[in-house]
Amino acid sequence: MTVIGDNSRKARSNQPPLPRQVQEHLGQKLRAQLYETTAKPRYLGDPAIPQEFDALLEKLDRRDRMRRSEQIAQIAHRAVEDALKGLVTAAR
């Protein structure tokens, strides 16, 4: 059984996800705290974010891209279905 979209979270966890606004607020606070407590870049191009976060950031990016591609696929599927239904109704 393939789980698509929001149902994937429900299948993996029994706790509801935080609302998007709360996630964004907490992310903003975390970035601000990280900026205040970490060492400042020594030169232009010096990574401001510790390298330990690279893997986590890549994972978040992959998850976001996957979610977007699933949404695009669902929208495209619905559009094709609607177009085919329109052709079938017009043919009758």
Side-chain angles (χ1 to χ4, degrees):
M1 178 171 109
T2 305
V3 182
I4 297 176
D6 293 335
N7 294 334
S8 62
R9 280 200 180 141
K10 293 176 186 173
R12 288 183 281 184
S13 173
N14 62 353
Q15 296 177 338
L18 292 173
R20 187 73 179 161
Q21 291 176 337
V22 173
Q23 291 176 2
E24 289 173 1
H25 174 75
L26 292 174
Q28 182 182 20
K29 293 295 183 184
L30 178 62
R31 285 188 297 276
Q33 183 66 28
L34 179 67
Y35 178 76
E36 290 175 6
T37 58
T38 57
K40 304 300 179 236
R42 291 176 292 213
Y43 55 90
L44 185 61
D46 186 18
I49 298 176
Q51 290 181 349
E52 296 85 25
F53 288 126
D54 286 347
L56 295 172
L57 292 173
E58 288 176 20
K59 183 179 176 182
L60 287 171
D61 185 48
R62 271 187 267 121
R63 186 182 307 158
D64 189 45
R65 286 177 190 227
M66 186 174 56
R67 187 177 342 148
R68 267 190 271 139
S69 65
E70 286 176 357
Q71 289 174 346
I72 291 169
Q74 288 174 355
I75 291 169
H77 183 77
R78 276 189 244 126
V80 170
E81 272 185 352
D82 292 344
L84 292 175
K85 285 179 185 176
L87 289 175
V88 169
T89 4
R92 289 183 183 177

